[in-house]
DNA sequence: CCCCTTCTTGCAAGCGATTGCAAACAGTGT
DNA sequence: ACACTGTTTGCAATCGCTTGCAAGAAGGGG
């Protein structure tokens, strides 16, 4: 289709009165080129409106200047933010992005990884939380530079960037404990995801440190999405002895919790403390603003691209793992426990 | 990089004991192939784990099986939804997507369009609301199939899909009028965008029909994003005679308005009616749920891809324009105006 | 003024796949 | 058995660009 009247390197060569190879060298910034020749070529390129054909370029051994991004889906606010960071970094590096979504279709990841590895891209960043990292071997075999995001892989041989989920969850739990809460419930993320599990660990650790060991029934399953937060909260709030604080493993789920609370006529944080994890943009907008564990989402994306570019530009640098810090953002949705449903409150009340 | 030990069509050919061309034909589902040969080739492909090299394939004249998507950015909920629809349609058609964002960088659109048109993709869907459609000529010159989304272009020669913004806005305004509102304010979208302008027209028409002609100071500028809605609302609500209803040209902005109202201690819809446009998922989640004009966002994306695929598969079908219908979704954020005295007591603080 | 080194630049061989053309094969009808 | 039609395959040219190799040009030292 597009092959009609395409301006090739040879057209430029002819107008500039040089050979095709010379044009190629000019285009690729080769150094040993007479200034005058370079100028002529540049002029010809300009005149003809030459644009390199990515396909041919990469087929012949050059770079594609495209970075592949493999994600599960782009529905969540977290992913949107992550993609922003990634996109930002990619485009300011002058490269282009090829986004592929697996939409949780099993096997699609491998298919994409193979296809992309087959010359479509110079490098790949993968943000699919899945244990089945079959695609990893493909990537390695073909030695395609790649970076994993938020995926825990025993294989210390792969570059990746993640955040300190465990201590983030821990700190948040301590915050809640400090406020005087004891019956703190956690709604987990999708347990297939490593970071979801780490958050649980952080939560349990903090609880245990406070002498609260029997947390089993306080930890209820969710999947990071809003509806699951809502449903979990409906169930929790309907219990004979409901929790005074709910720690959702994602802000998205926390919004679901808030809704469930509102429907029950409960005020946040007066009757129920609700906190989340992620700090997506919406969190500072909701009413009341959400107390949450902030992870530098866009930064994660930018860092991943940074690592990838390093590897692309100078291969063989070895795998690098980055763990970014999380921080607690205390806003309006958390407060001391209400004494309304007060059972034996052997807890030190705050102000 | 990736060129190490790649399985080519010739490797398959050798294992199957046939020629490369035959393998190519099998891969592309050519008909005149002896069943037995086909079987042998298929077996060899399977055995070697052959994956076609997209670059080579398209260079040689085949298709890339990649659809390019050109958008401004993916931050907004609207865009997220649109991309979902697009992604959905693309992947269920077996093709892949290449997403490029211009991030409002001037000129980037043309650069991308050219590059993509240069063989990277089989077709292109563009969703950049901009008057400057310089890229259009490139697309046409190279006869790359393309579809425009939500872009109004006089050029009846380009396929596009959009929604009926005008009557949507009109109907919403009538709804507000029907509720008894008279001082209805509209916060506009980015005026560079055609659909933003159409919504204003719909609003003005309905107001005029109700005898409300002097709407100039009721229409205030926004840019579709949340903060602009917030700011506009802050200004509106501080007026000596504030509107009783605010019609935001996007749900995003409506959320901003809700926040401004909350900060002023106003209840929605008791003291202020707030409505939006789009019906993004969040709209049914907020409290109170937002009354809005629904546009089938994902559907828009799906339709656009449908049109594009048609054109790719059988070129020359001529341009097709689709205009999808909008519909009014009445939820909790709209109600009759609060009593006239409200303004006299310059928005009294609540409880 | 010649020889050697350092620049510049062109030639030509790929990269992996598609495809027009034509040769090699069948299958039929007579 | 022969010409004829239609099916299967392989050959080789191409797509646009990169790059190793080597030749021509330019500059320095002896």
């Amino acid at each position: 289709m597009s092959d009609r009247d395409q301006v090739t390197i040879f057209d430029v060569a002819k107008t500039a009165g040089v050979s095709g190879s010379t044009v190629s060298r000019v285009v690729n910034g080769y150094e040993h080129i007479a200034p005058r020749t370079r100028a002529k070529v540049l002029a010809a390129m300009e005149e003809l409106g030459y644009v390199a054909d990515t396909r041919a370029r990469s087929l012949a051994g050059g770079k594609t200047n495209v970075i592949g991004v493999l994600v599960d889906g782009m529905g969540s606010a977290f992913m949107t933010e992550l993609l922003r960071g990634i996109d930002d970094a990619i485009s300011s590096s002058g490269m282009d992005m090829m986004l592929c979504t697996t939409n949780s279709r099993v096997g699609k990841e491998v298919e994409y990884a193979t296809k992309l590895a087959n010359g479509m891209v110079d490098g790949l960043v993968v943000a699919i939380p899945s244990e089945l990292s079959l695609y990893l071997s493909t990537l390695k075999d073909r030695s395609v530079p790649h970076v994993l995001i938020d995926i825990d892989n025993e294989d210390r041989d792969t570059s990746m960037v993640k955040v300190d989920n465990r201590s983030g969850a821990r700190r948040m739990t301590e915050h809640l404990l400090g406020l005087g809460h004891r019956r703190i419930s956690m709604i987990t993320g999708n347990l297939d995801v490593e970071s979801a599990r780490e958050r649980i660990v952080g939560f349990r650790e903090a609880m245990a440190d406070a002498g609260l060991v029997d947390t089993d029934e306080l930890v209820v399953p969710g999947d990071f999405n809003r509806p699951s937060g809502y449903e979990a909260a409906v169930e929790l709030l309907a219990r004979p002895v409901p929790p005074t604080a709910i720690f959702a493993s994602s802000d998205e789920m926390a919004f679901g919790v808030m809704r469930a609370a509102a429907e029950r006529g409960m005020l946040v944080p007066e009757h129920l403390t609700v906190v989340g994890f992620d700090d997506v943009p919406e969190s500072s907008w909701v009413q009341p603003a959400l107390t949450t564990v902030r992870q530098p989402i866009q930064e994660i994306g930018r860092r991943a691209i940074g690592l990838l570019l390093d590897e692309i530009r100078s291969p063989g640098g070895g795998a690098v793992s980055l763990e970014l810090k999380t921080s607690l953002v205390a806003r309006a949705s958390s407060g001391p426990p209400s004494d309304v449903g007060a059972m034996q409150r052997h807890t030190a009340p705050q102000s």
Side-chain angles (χ1 to χ4, degrees), chain A residues 9-30:
Chain A
I9 211 171
F10 293 102
D11 297 323
V12 177
K14 196 192 295 179
T15 348
V18 297
S19 77
S21 351
T22 302
V23 176
S24 169
R25 296 198 174 100
V26 169
V27 172
N28 293 294
Y30 188 73

PDB file of all heavy atoms in Angstrom, chain A residues 9-30:
ATOM      1  N   ILE A   9      16.558   5.915  -0.061  1.00  0.00           N
ATOM      2  CA  ILE A   9      17.884   6.422   0.188  1.00  0.00           C
ATOM      3  C   ILE A   9      18.585   6.697  -1.144  1.00  0.00           C
ATOM      4  O   ILE A   9      19.457   7.556  -1.254  1.00  0.00           O
ATOM      5  CB  ILE A   9      18.639   5.363   1.022  1.00  0.00           C
ATOM      6  CG1 ILE A   9      19.627   6.036   1.922  1.00  0.00           C
ATOM      7  CG2 ILE A   9      19.276   4.324   0.138  1.00  0.00           C
ATOM      8  CD1 ILE A   9      20.226   5.065   2.899  1.00  0.00           C
ATOM      9  N   PHE A  10      18.183   5.972  -2.162  1.00  0.00           N
ATOM     10  CA  PHE A  10      18.808   6.145  -3.466  1.00  0.00           C
ATOM     11  C   PHE A  10      18.320   7.388  -4.189  1.00  0.00           C
ATOM     12  O   PHE A  10      19.055   8.000  -4.954  1.00  0.00           O
ATOM     13  CB  PHE A  10      18.601   4.894  -4.322  1.00  0.00           C
ATOM     14  CG  PHE A  10      19.346   3.716  -3.764  1.00  0.00           C
ATOM     15  CD1 PHE A  10      18.680   2.732  -3.055  1.00  0.00           C
ATOM     16  CD2 PHE A  10      20.735   3.623  -3.894  1.00  0.00           C
ATOM     17  CE1 PHE A  10      19.379   1.672  -2.488  1.00  0.00           C
ATOM     18  CE2 PHE A  10      21.440   2.560  -3.331  1.00  0.00           C
ATOM     19  CZ  PHE A  10      20.759   1.587  -2.624  1.00  0.00           C
ATOM     20  N   ASP A  11      17.080   7.710  -3.939  1.00  0.00           N
ATOM     21  CA  ASP A  11      16.566   8.939  -4.541  1.00  0.00           C
ATOM     22  C   ASP A  11      17.378  10.099  -3.989  1.00  0.00           C
ATOM     23  O   ASP A  11      17.812  10.991  -4.719  1.00  0.00           O
ATOM     24  CB  ASP A  11      15.098   9.130  -4.173  1.00  0.00           C
ATOM     25  CG  ASP A  11      14.239   8.008  -4.739  1.00  0.00           C
ATOM     26  OD1 ASP A  11      14.535   7.558  -5.868  1.00  0.00           O
ATOM     27  OD2 ASP A  11      13.298   7.575  -4.057  1.00  0.00           O
ATOM     28  N   VAL A  12      17.579  10.045  -2.690  1.00  0.00           N
ATOM     29  CA  VAL A  12      18.357  11.090  -2.041  1.00  0.00           C
ATOM     30  C   VAL A  12      19.773  11.077  -2.605  1.00  0.00           C
ATOM     31  O   VAL A  12      20.348  12.117  -2.936  1.00  0.00           O
ATOM     32  CB  VAL A  12      18.426  10.864  -0.516  1.00  0.00           C
ATOM     33  CG1 VAL A  12      19.309  11.914   0.131  1.00  0.00           C
ATOM     34  CG2 VAL A  12      17.043  10.895   0.078  1.00  0.00           C
ATOM     35  N   ALA A  13      20.312   9.876  -2.739  1.00  0.00           N
ATOM     36  CA  ALA A  13      21.677   9.737  -3.247  1.00  0.00           C
ATOM     37  C   ALA A  13      21.808  10.395  -4.606  1.00  0.00           C
ATOM     38  O   ALA A  13      22.756  11.139  -4.860  1.00  0.00           O
ATOM     39  CB  ALA A  13      22.028   8.262  -3.334  1.00  0.00           C
ATOM     40  N   LYS A  14      20.851  10.125  -5.453  1.00  0.00           N
ATOM     41  CA  LYS A  14      20.943  10.678  -6.799  1.00  0.00           C
ATOM     42  C   LYS A  14      20.910  12.210  -6.779  1.00  0.00           C
ATOM     43  O   LYS A  14      21.767  12.876  -7.367  1.00  0.00           O
ATOM     44  CB  LYS A  14      19.804  10.155  -7.677  1.00  0.00           C
ATOM     45  CG  LYS A  14      20.100  10.400  -9.155  1.00  0.00           C
ATOM     46  CD  LYS A  14      18.886  10.169 -10.036  1.00  0.00           C
ATOM     47  CE  LYS A  14      18.423   8.712 -10.029  1.00  0.00           C
ATOM     48  NZ  LYS A  14      17.231   8.528 -10.880  1.00  0.00           N
ATOM     49  N   THR A  15      19.937  12.760  -6.061  1.00  0.00           N
ATOM     50  CA  THR A  15      19.851  14.227  -6.007  1.00  0.00           C
ATOM     51  C   THR A  15      21.094  14.850  -5.399  1.00  0.00           C
ATOM     52  O   THR A  15      21.473  15.967  -5.739  1.00  0.00           O
ATOM     53  CB  THR A  15      18.652  14.678  -5.151  1.00  0.00           C
ATOM     54  OG1 THR A  15      17.820  13.566  -4.885  1.00  0.00           O
ATOM     55  CG2 THR A  15      17.875  15.745  -5.864  1.00  0.00           C
ATOM     56  N   ALA A  16      21.696  14.128  -4.464  1.00  0.00           N
ATOM     57  CA  ALA A  16      22.869  14.699  -3.813  1.00  0.00           C
ATOM     58  C   ALA A  16      24.137  14.380  -4.588  1.00  0.00           C
ATOM     59  O   ALA A  16      25.207  14.906  -4.304  1.00  0.00           O
ATOM     60  CB  ALA A  16      22.968  14.167  -2.391  1.00  0.00           C
ATOM     61  N   GLY A  17      23.991  13.496  -5.549  1.00  0.00           N
ATOM     62  CA  GLY A  17      25.156  13.141  -6.334  1.00  0.00           C
ATOM     63  C   GLY A  17      26.175  12.293  -5.583  1.00  0.00           C
ATOM     64  O   GLY A  17      27.372  12.435  -5.766  1.00  0.00           O
ATOM     65  N   VAL A  18      25.676  11.427  -4.726  1.00  0.00           N
ATOM     66  CA  VAL A  18      26.586  10.542  -4.001  1.00  0.00           C
ATOM     67  C   VAL A  18      26.014   9.125  -4.062  1.00  0.00           C
ATOM     68  O   VAL A  18      25.034   8.897  -4.754  1.00  0.00           O
ATOM     69  CB  VAL A  18      26.715  10.963  -2.518  1.00  0.00           C
ATOM     70  CG1 VAL A  18      27.318  12.347  -2.425  1.00  0.00           C
ATOM     71  CG2 VAL A  18      25.363  10.889  -1.839  1.00  0.00           C
ATOM     72  N   SER A  19      26.617   8.214  -3.343  1.00  0.00           N
ATOM     73  CA  SER A  19      26.100   6.855  -3.360  1.00  0.00           C
ATOM     74  C   SER A  19      25.138   6.610  -2.206  1.00  0.00           C
ATOM     75  O   SER A  19      25.116   7.366  -1.235  1.00  0.00           O
ATOM     76  CB  SER A  19      27.250   5.867  -3.235  1.00  0.00           C
ATOM     77  OG  SER A  19      27.676   5.819  -1.900  1.00  0.00           O
ATOM     78  N   GLY A  20      24.404   5.540  -2.332  1.00  0.00           N
ATOM     79  CA  GLY A  20      23.449   5.219  -1.283  1.00  0.00           C
ATOM     80  C   GLY A  20      24.089   5.013   0.066  1.00  0.00           C
ATOM     81  O   GLY A  20      23.577   5.465   1.086  1.00  0.00           O
ATOM     82  N   SER A  21      25.227   4.366   0.061  1.00  0.00           N
ATOM     83  CA  SER A  21      25.892   4.104   1.338  1.00  0.00           C
ATOM     84  C   SER A  21      26.214   5.404   2.050  1.00  0.00           C
ATOM     85  O   SER A  21      26.130   5.501   3.272  1.00  0.00           O
ATOM     86  CB  SER A  21      27.174   3.327   1.124  1.00  0.00           C
ATOM     87  OG  SER A  21      27.291   2.897  -0.193  1.00  0.00           O
ATOM     88  N   THR A  22      26.630   6.376   1.271  1.00  0.00           N
ATOM     89  CA  THR A  22      26.980   7.650   1.887  1.00  0.00           C
ATOM     90  C   THR A  22      25.760   8.268   2.556  1.00  0.00           C
ATOM     91  O   THR A  22      25.832   8.755   3.687  1.00  0.00           O
ATOM     92  CB  THR A  22      27.528   8.618   0.831  1.00  0.00           C
ATOM     93  OG1 THR A  22      28.658   8.022   0.224  1.00  0.00           O
ATOM     94  CG2 THR A  22      27.923   9.924   1.464  1.00  0.00           C
ATOM     95  N   VAL A  23      24.655   8.194   1.860  1.00  0.00           N
ATOM     96  CA  VAL A  23      23.439   8.740   2.457  1.00  0.00           C
ATOM     97  C   VAL A  23      23.141   8.005   3.756  1.00  0.00           C
ATOM     98  O   VAL A  23      22.869   8.609   4.782  1.00  0.00           O
ATOM     99  CB  VAL A  23      22.240   8.587   1.498  1.00  0.00           C
ATOM    100  CG1 VAL A  23      20.981   9.074   2.178  1.00  0.00           C
ATOM    101  CG2 VAL A  23      22.500   9.349   0.224  1.00  0.00           C
ATOM    102  N   SER A  24      23.247   6.695   3.691  1.00  0.00           N
ATOM    103  CA  SER A  24      22.985   5.904   4.880  1.00  0.00           C
ATOM    104  C   SER A  24      23.878   6.369   6.021  1.00  0.00           C
ATOM    105  O   SER A  24      23.439   6.534   7.160  1.00  0.00           O
ATOM    106  CB  SER A  24      23.251   4.431   4.578  1.00  0.00           C
ATOM    107  OG  SER A  24      23.239   3.679   5.762  1.00  0.00           O
ATOM    108  N   ARG A  25      25.123   6.604   5.714  1.00  0.00           N
ATOM    109  CA  ARG A  25      26.049   7.025   6.759  1.00  0.00           C
ATOM    110  C   ARG A  25      25.679   8.385   7.330  1.00  0.00           C
ATOM    111  O   ARG A  25      25.792   8.615   8.525  1.00  0.00           O
ATOM    112  CB  ARG A  25      27.466   7.042   6.200  1.00  0.00           C
ATOM    113  CG  ARG A  25      27.917   5.643   5.798  1.00  0.00           C
ATOM    114  CD  ARG A  25      29.415   5.532   5.645  1.00  0.00           C
ATOM    115  NE  ARG A  25      29.786   4.152   5.406  1.00  0.00           N
ATOM    116  CZ  ARG A  25      30.070   3.653   4.195  1.00  0.00           C
ATOM    117  NH1 ARG A  25      30.060   4.430   3.127  1.00  0.00           N
ATOM    118  NH2 ARG A  25      30.370   2.382   4.064  1.00  0.00           N
ATOM    119  N   VAL A  26      25.263   9.261   6.459  1.00  0.00           N
ATOM    120  CA  VAL A  26      24.869  10.590   6.937  1.00  0.00           C
ATOM    121  C   VAL A  26      23.668  10.434   7.878  1.00  0.00           C
ATOM    122  O   VAL A  26      23.644  10.961   8.975  1.00  0.00           O
ATOM    123  CB  VAL A  26      24.488  11.516   5.775  1.00  0.00           C
ATOM    124  CG1 VAL A  26      23.838  12.780   6.315  1.00  0.00           C
ATOM    125  CG2 VAL A  26      25.719  11.866   4.967  1.00  0.00           C
ATOM    126  N   VAL A  27      22.694   9.677   7.395  1.00  0.00           N
ATOM    127  CA  VAL A  27      21.494   9.467   8.191  1.00  0.00           C
ATOM    128  C   VAL A  27      21.828   8.905   9.571  1.00  0.00           C
ATOM    129  O   VAL A  27      21.240   9.298  10.563  1.00  0.00           O
ATOM    130  CB  VAL A  27      20.540   8.484   7.468  1.00  0.00           C
ATOM    131  CG1 VAL A  27      19.400   8.107   8.384  1.00  0.00           C
ATOM    132  CG2 VAL A  27      20.034   9.112   6.200  1.00  0.00           C
ATOM    133  N   ASN A  28      22.781   8.006   9.602  1.00  0.00           N
ATOM    134  CA  ASN A  28      23.113   7.393  10.884  1.00  0.00           C
ATOM    135  C   ASN A  28      24.217   8.101  11.652  1.00  0.00           C
ATOM    136  O   ASN A  28      24.762   7.547  12.603  1.00  0.00           O
ATOM    137  CB  ASN A  28      23.490   5.931  10.656  1.00  0.00           C
ATOM    138  CG  ASN A  28      22.299   5.132  10.193  1.00  0.00           C
ATOM    139  OD1 ASN A  28      21.338   4.947  10.919  1.00  0.00           O
ATOM    140  ND2 ASN A  28      22.335   4.703   8.942  1.00  0.00           N
ATOM    141  N   GLY A  29      24.561   9.280  11.212  1.00  0.00           N
ATOM    142  CA  GLY A  29      25.540  10.055  11.962  1.00  0.00           C
ATOM    143  C   GLY A  29      26.929   9.446  12.007  1.00  0.00           C
ATOM    144  O   GLY A  29      27.631   9.543  13.000  1.00  0.00           O
ATOM    145  N   TYR A  30      27.304   8.827  10.933  1.00  0.00           N
ATOM    146  CA  TYR A  30      28.647   8.253  10.851  1.00  0.00           C
ATOM    147  C   TYR A  30      29.625   9.413  10.842  1.00  0.00           C
ATOM    148  O   TYR A  30      29.356  10.476  10.293  1.00  0.00           O
ATOM    149  CB  TYR A  30      28.736   7.441   9.560  1.00  0.00           C
ATOM    150  CG  TYR A  30      29.997   6.630   9.407  1.00  0.00           C
ATOM    151  CD1 TYR A  30      30.208   5.475  10.160  1.00  0.00           C
ATOM    152  CD2 TYR A  30      30.972   7.016   8.498  1.00  0.00           C
ATOM    153  CE1 TYR A  30      31.353   4.724  10.003  1.00  0.00           C
ATOM    154  CE2 TYR A  30      32.131   6.262   8.335  1.00  0.00           C
ATOM    155  CZ  TYR A  30      32.318   5.124   9.093  1.00  0.00           C
ATOM    156  OH  TYR A  30      33.459   4.378   8.938  1.00  0.00           O
TER     157      TYR A  30
END
